[in-house]
Amino acid sequence: MSTVSTSLQTHAVINEAVQTLHDGGLVAFPTETVYGLGADARNAQAIEKVFTTKGRPSHHPLIVHVAAPDVFDQATVDWVAVVAPWARDISEDAVKLMNAFWPGPLTLIFKKDKSVLGEITGGQDTVAIRAPAHPIAQELIRKLKSGIVGPSANRFGKVSPTSAADVRSEFEGELGLMILDGGDCEVGIESTIIDLSSGDHPVLLRPGIVTPQEIASKTGITVHLPGQKMEMSLLPRVSGSLKAHYAPTTPLRLYSPGRVLDALSEFPDTKTRVAVAVWDSESALSEDGHPSVQFHEVEVPSNSAAFASRLYRTLRDLDEQGWDLILFPEPPAGQEWDGVRDRLQRACFGSGPSSSSHASN
Ligand code: TXA
Ligand code: MG
């Protein structure tokens, strides 16, 4: 499959994927955010395979992906019934959030139903749930008649994949991994995560394309930032919150407006081939002269959603081109940039040849 289509061939391939999941195998699948590495959420052995294939520590919890039972009119889906097999204490806020944003790039953390396997939750009493918007993900989940655990389909600590080809290159050695091709991911960064499990205040655990401002304007719900109402130590574990994450092998640094040369000071002489991302709204870098450096400019969108959708693609492509250093402009202030700022900062921290030794997911 090369495009999102509902052709007979697509249905046949999805049926094969359902059988693979049913038999305890793994299937990489497209979502609107990034590709996931899927396993049947009711099969402990299959879930263990997800951890070993990714190389992810087993106490880092996974998201359960769910879908409405039928091809549906979004306005009439009973999301409470969809999450009920997995979660308990589903609050009014949760219902409002699900109605406003599902299916879509928002993950909600609930108290878990007792039937949810401890392998998914890292032994915590909470579970993360998301209803992806991608039609192939939905059909896969619906036909499996279960939930699908799906961490991003990348090796531990690496850049998340936003195309089937990215997944293939991440898992080159994994013969037999089935990969459903649903085209390029539209959103391009992982879902926003909101923790609803404490009962009173929703807390933002991972910023994404759905911002607290958008949540407030669509639902009237105030989302708190970690630390605003809770001690960090009381927050559930989120491996995406580790400092090093989403990391390319090439060193990556951010530069503030007009300060490209400052960013080079960390790399005094040896770095000669530097890829510099520049805003598409600005003219090219001025030739303010660094004799030993050869700059290659790559335009990046100055619209936050467009930037997010291209971010991992650009990082992967530049990483493969063999530059000595990659420079990205610091994203501007504003919640719509929080998701990409978060990913870029972690990617910088984890970047470099030894990035695989950093802890992350
Ligand atoms: O957009 C996404 O969310 C993608 C696509 C494939 O759906 N998935 C994804 O999964 O990003 P993963 O495993 O790479 O990141 C899930 C994050 C992790 O940081 C994990 O720690 C957190 O969700 N998480 C899962 N269960 C949790 C829980 N019970 N409490 C707190 N955090 C949890
Ligand atoms: Mg991930």
Side-chain angles (χ1 to χ4, degrees):
M1 296 190 306
S2 56
T3 54
V4 181
S5 79
T6 50
S7 68
L8 280 178
Q9 193 207 337
T10 306
H11 292 309
V13 177
I14 293 176
N15 290 344
E16 195 188 325
V18 170
Q19 191 59 48
T20 302
L21 292 171
H22 192 74
D23 295 343
L26 305 187
V27 173
F29 64 101
T31 84
E32 73 281 26
T33 58
V34 299
Y35 275 69
L37 185 62
D40 181 351
R42 296 294 189 196
N43 184 331
Q45 279 178 341
I47 295 165
E48 272 170 30
K49 273 190 220 162
V50 170
F51 285 102
T52 48
T53 304
K54 253 185 90 85
R56 171 158 156 166
S58 60
H59 61 282
H60 286 190
L62 303 174
I63 297 172
V64 177
H65 295 72
V66 297
D70 215 334
V71 177
F72 50 85
D73 171 4
Q74 287 189 25
T76 62
V77 180
D78 179 2
W79 290 113
V80 175
V82 173
V83 298
W86 308 95
R88 59 190 169 81
D89 301 347
I90 299 159
S91 63
E92 272 177 36
D93 278 358
V95 176
K96 282 189 202 163
L97 289 169
M98 294 188 291
N99 286 340
F101 294 102
W102 281 10
L106 178 69
T107 296
L108 300 175
I109 312 275
F110 297 95
K111 287 262 188 261
K112 82 175 189 73
D113 181 83
K114 62 180 182 325
S115 66
V116 174
L117 294 168
E119 284 81 355
I120 295 177
T121 66
Q124 300 177 90
D125 68 344
T126 57
V127 62
I129 306 185
R130 166 165 123 76
H134 198 292
I136 291 179
Q138 289 179 2
E139 187 173 337
L140 186 69
I141 299 162
R142 254 197 313 271
K143 286 184 167 164
L144 184 65
K145 297 191 173 61
S146 178
I148 296 183
V149 291
S152 48
N154 52 283
R155 303 261 181 198
F156 184 66
K158 294 300 179 183
V159 179
S160 301
T162 55
S163 73
D166 292 346
V167 180
R168 225 169 275 126
S169 75
E170 281 289 312
F171 295 106
E172 245 160 10
E174 275 334 297
L175 292 178
L177 174 65
M178 184 168 187
I179 302 171
L180 293 176
D181 187 344
D184 291 341
C185 300
E186 251 179 81
V187 173
I189 59 170
E190 301 81 354
S191 58
T192 303
I193 304 183
I194 307 281
D195 184 9
L196 298 170
S197 67
S198 74
D200 38 10
H201 11 259
V203 178
L204 180 71
L205 296 188
R206 180 171 72 183
I209 209 85
V210 175
T211 62
Q213 263 158 7
E214 189 187 357
I215 289 174
S217 76
K218 287 201 175 142
T219 64
I221 295 170
T222 303
V223 173
H224 295 272
L225 305 181
Q228 209 172 321
K229 284 274 174 187
M230 299 170 86
E231 288 299 316
M232 279 304 274
S233 60
L234 296 178
L235 288 172
R237 283 190 299 274
V238 188
S239 45
S241 69
L242 295 172
K243 247 178 144 184
H245 202 67
Y246 320 107
T249 309
T250 315
L252 168 72
R253 294 293 180 271
L254 301 185
Y255 66 89
S256 39
R259 312 300 293 253
V260 172
L261 293 183
D262 290 0
L264 287 178
S265 55
E266 212 187 311
F267 304 89
D269 9 82
T270 53
K271 304 297 158 191
T272 53
R273 298 182 66 247
V274 181
V276 188
V278 293
W279 298 117
D280 59 7
S281 55
E282 284 171 14
S283 53
L285 290 173
S286 58
E287 286 298 324
D288 47 3
H290 189 299
S292 61
V293 173
Q294 176 199 330
F295 289 116
H296 165 76
E297 290 182 23
V298 190
E299 279 197 356
V300 287
S302 42
N303 167 282
S304 58
F307 186 103
S309 111
R310 300 282 310 154
L311 174 61
Y312 291 154
R313 163 89 290 109
T314 308
L315 284 179
R316 266 177 193 276
D317 289 349
L318 292 175
D319 210 12
E320 272 165 24
Q321 290 165 14
W323 301 101
D324 296 317
L325 174 67
I326 303 170
L327 297 178
F328 259 71
E330 265 169 19
Q335 284 189 4
E336 72 276 23
W337 287 98
D338 284 352
V340 294
R341 186 178 314 102
D342 169 77
R343 303 314 189 278
L344 271 174
Q345 283 169 348
R346 293 178 209 285
C348 286
F349 194 83
S351 67
S354 63
S355 62
S356 58
S357 64
H358 285 282
S360 62
N361 73 339

